[in-house]
Amino acid sequence: MNKKYSLLLLITVFVLPLLGQMRFNLKQAITYGQEHSPSARSIKAAYSSAEWNYIASRSALLPSLSLQGNVPGFVRSISQIQQPNGDISFREQRLASSSLSMMLSQNVTPTGGSIFMSSDLSRIDLLGTNPTTTWQASPLQVGFTQPLFRVNNLRWDWKQAKLQYEFAKKQATESLEDLSIAITTAFFDYYIVRKQMINAEYNVAMNDTFYRIAEGRYSVGKIAENEKLQAELSLMNAQNMRDQIQIQILTTEKRLKNLLGVPDNQRVDVEYEESLPLYTVSLEKALAEARENRSNYVGFKIQETDAELNVRRATANRRFNGDLTMSFGLTNTSAQFNEAYNNLQDAQRLTVGFSMPLINFGRNKAAYMVAKNDKESRMAQIENNRNSLELEIMNNVLQFNQLKQILAISAKSDTIARQRYDISTKRFVLGKIDLTNLTIAQNEKDQALINYIRNLQNFWVSYYQLRRLTLFDFETGNKILVQ
């Protein structure tokens, strides 16, 4: 990479941020991303849609008032008209009709039926040489309809609607936690290359010093040319590593900005300043919270409910069922509008319809067996999925509890590697070790730094994975739920 391009990248990476940049620590990045990122907006829009579906389902349980009408309706036709003597004669008919009806209805969830109250008014105008007008008024009708020996679809649908809303709420929470995991990964990827750049610049400066020392020693015959060339190669490798890291900074920053929803023309810097949550998570507590909070367990209930409903419907179709309709009202007809509401007469209706299968060559029994076997299959699959989920939770809990020890060891290793490198540097300057041993110490220092930050990344990813798997914040002791 030529010097002009290297200078341009250095300006892009280090100078432009000083002109106006956004700086985040890990928790600030997650909070910002959950508010501004495209993924967060998509998650919240999907949840809002589910919320409105729930509101629509709940409205089926509440009274509804409707107004229907037909104003006007006109008919001109030739119809069969029975004459007073019993003969049938074809006569031209021209009439205009209008109607208006208002109905108040209420579903009855416990029984699956409905009650209603209505008021109707209609008018018929016979047109022609002897026009007439007839009004029919039914100011009040009260009725009730009730399915008999059938599945109460209203109650089952409401039960499913509540489960679906709960499932959507928890799924949205999990999706936001997934976003937290993605942001954590991208945050540390960017943080690592920023640290690597600082380390790379330091290595370039140190290797330049070592090369100058090697040149001086070679010029007075203290070292062989091979060692001087090795120092020059180490300097070139350090410069090449720095140039590669400059490109990684741009790509990792872009990935982080995409997750956070930061505009392309805005620079981003990160800093790690979080204190580690060093508590130990109980497996029993994690499993208990997951069973109560996770969308998977709500999904299991939805599948169980759906399978049970199919069995009940198939069972109901094999036996007698019917419908009961009752209504009572007042009605009258008159040629005058006002008189249509006088001298009202009773109007009652009672109907009982029924259906009973006699011979269908085993079709209903086959449908029942299909529903029954489907339920058994679903229950077995649910059990398998539940076991897999709880195994995943157990593995994550064990990993999270172990990572604290791994992180402590890697932090100590990083400290020792830096101390060893400092000692090796001083010994090299004094001529007590050769460049090969110094290079080994430098590589170990660099690797120890990366290992420490990677373990730091693994710890925080595991921390947010545990939150996602349980929807529980073990740090505060509160459940996690989208608002």
Side-chain angles (χ1 to χ4, degrees), residues 54-173:
Y54 171 75
I55 292 173
S57 298
R58 187 178 58 185
S59 66
L61 308 179
L62 303 175
S64 64
L65 180 64
S66 62
L67 179 66
Q68 297 179 337
N70 179 18
V71 183
F74 176 75
V75 176
R76 180 178 180 180
S77 64
I78 297 177
S79 305
Q80 294 181 2
I81 305 297
Q82 187 174 12
Q83 302 302 308
N85 60 3
D87 294 339
I88 300 297
S89 177
F90 289 94
R91 297 292 180 88
E92 180 183 9
Q93 259 192 336
R94 289 184 297 167
L95 61 88
S97 62
S98 301
S99 64
L100 191 64
S101 175
M102 180 176 291
M103 176 176 290
L104 176 66
S105 62
Q106 169 69 62
N107 288 322
V108 183
T109 306
T111 67
S114 65
I115 57 177
F116 66 88
M117 180 184 299
S118 66
S119 180
D120 304 322
L121 176 65
S122 60
R123 167 178 168 164
I124 297 178
D125 292 299
L126 292 177
L127 308 176
T129 55
N130 297 310
T132 61
T133 298
T134 303
W135 293 87
Q136 181 180 18
S138 299
L140 178 63
Q141 287 188 5
V142 179
F144 175 74
T145 62
Q146 175 62 51
L148 303 175
F149 309 109
R150 290 185 179 180
V151 173
N152 187 344
N153 289 318
L154 185 64
R155 185 177 62 188
W156 283 91
D157 289 346
W158 173 235
K159 183 178 181 180
Q160 286 288 70
K162 290 189 291 184
L163 289 174
Q164 290 287 357
Y165 178 56
E166 185 181 359
F167 178 81
K169 182 181 293 186
K170 295 183 176 182
Q171 195 172 54
T173 307

Side-chain angles (χ1 to χ4, degrees), residues 210-262:
F210 300 152
Y211 174 62
R212 295 180 186 277
I213 292 174
E215 274 190 320
R217 290 175 179 174
Y218 174 72
S219 64
V220 297
K222 289 186 177 182
I223 61 172
E225 184 179 8
N226 180 59
E227 190 168 351
K228 182 187 77 105
L229 292 175
Q230 184 180 356
E232 184 177 5
L233 180 61
S234 296
L235 174 60
M236 294 174 63
N237 287 338
Q239 292 171 338
N240 183 54
M241 178 61 69
R242 179 192 59 190
D243 294 341
Q244 291 180 17
I245 293 173
Q246 288 170 353
I247 297 175
Q248 293 177 19
I249 284 179
L250 297 177
T251 57
T252 53
E253 181 191 22
K254 174 63 175 174
R255 189 181 305 119
L256 179 60
K257 289 198 297 185
N258 289 343
L259 284 171
L260 297 182
V262 174

